[in-house]
Amino acid sequence: MALLKDGQARIRDDVTLLQDGQARLQDDMALLKDGQARIRDDMALLKGGHARNVAERQAVLIAEDLGLEYVRTLNFEDITNMVHTHDTSDLGANDLRSFRLADLILEAKDRAGATCSVAVEISFTVNGRDTRRALRNAEYLRRFTGQQACAVVAGVHVDERIREHIAAGEVFWYRLDRNSLEVA
């Protein structure tokens, strides 16, 4: 009986050790999952930023693909001055801030020589949020300039849920070639 009790005590100790090890393993797995999520989020920022750099370098091509002649890229100061010189009292502060921080705003000319604007939202994978921003920014550009404005989304991939907007001509998709994203 004493040997049996001693064996049971050792088994209980081993089970306790096993449970402790399992708890540590679960804690380590949770840390690993958190680390992976941070890496995934950081990679998304890097991919998006790199896609933006490439799209900025290809501004002339974006305009040409729309049948326009590139004139210039508006900078933050240009966009901010545009907002400050117009009545924006009916527009939300967050929307105006987002507009001022637009990914890319181009000035171009159409075939007849008329000035028009191009609002470009850029992501590695273009989605509904990018589409809504591009459409909103194009509308603000029409309002502020009184001229034609085009909405463009630029990226390597496109979320299937926005294909209908592209097919309907509401927004133009400028596909960034994967090769242009390679670091030389």
Side-chain angles (χ1 to χ4, degrees):
M1 262 323 202
L3 287 174
L4 186 58
K5 285 183 179 180
D6 188 43
Q8 285 177 330
R10 281 194 308 268
I11 290 172
R12 273 193 294 271
D13 290 345
D14 289 347
V15 167
T16 299
L17 286 172
L18 186 59
Q19 288 172 335
D20 290 346
Q22 190 175 22
R24 282 193 306 276
L25 183 58
Q26 287 174 335
D27 290 344
D28 290 347
M29 288 298 292
L31 289 172
L32 185 59
K33 285 181 181 179
D34 288 346
Q36 283 179 316
R38 280 193 305 277
I39 290 169
R40 188 175 42 250
D41 292 346
D42 291 348
M43 286 303 296
L45 289 172
L46 291 172
K47 288 182 347 185
H50 189 52
R52 184 176 178 168
N53 291 340
V54 169
E56 287 175 351
R57 283 196 313 268
Q58 295 180 5
V60 172
L61 298 175
I62 293 171
E64 286 178 359
D65 281 3
L66 290 166
L68 303 171
E69 179 185 340
Y70 173 85
V71 174
R72 70 185 183 113
T73 299
L74 277 67
N75 61 34
F76 178 76
E77 188 175 315
D78 295 329
I79 298 165
T80 299
N81 286 338
M82 189 183 301
V83 170
H84 288 196
T85 57
H86 291 84
D87 178 15
T88 59
S89 59
D90 61 325
L91 303 176
N94 288 338
D95 283 342
L96 285 172
R97 184 178 195 289
S98 176
F99 172 70
R100 287 193 304 266
L101 296 172
D103 288 344
L104 184 61
I105 303 288
L106 307 177
E107 183 179 307
K109 292 197 179 293
D110 65 15
R111 288 188 173 95
T115 300
C116 58
S117 301
V118 180
V120 186
E121 283 298 309
I122 308 156
S123 291
F124 194 83
T125 300
V126 177
N127 61 27
R129 181 176 182 228
D130 302 307
T131 303
R132 287 187 299 279
R133 283 181 174 181
L135 290 167
R136 181 211 54 214
N137 291 348
E139 181 55 39
Y140 285 2
L141 288 165
R142 279 189 282 281
R143 175 179 173 161
F144 296 150
T145 66
Q147 301 163 343
Q148 174 188 349
C150 303
V152 176
V153 289
V156 176
H157 303 289
V158 64
D159 184 319
E160 291 303 315
R161 294 173 288 195
I162 68 164
R163 288 229 182 248
E164 64 189 52
H165 297 287
I166 295 166
E170 298 170 32
V171 65
F172 176 80
W173 178 38
Y174 179 81
R175 185 175 182 279
L176 296 175
D177 180 34
R178 288 184 77 85
N179 293 333
S180 64
L181 293 168
E182 292 179 6
V183 178

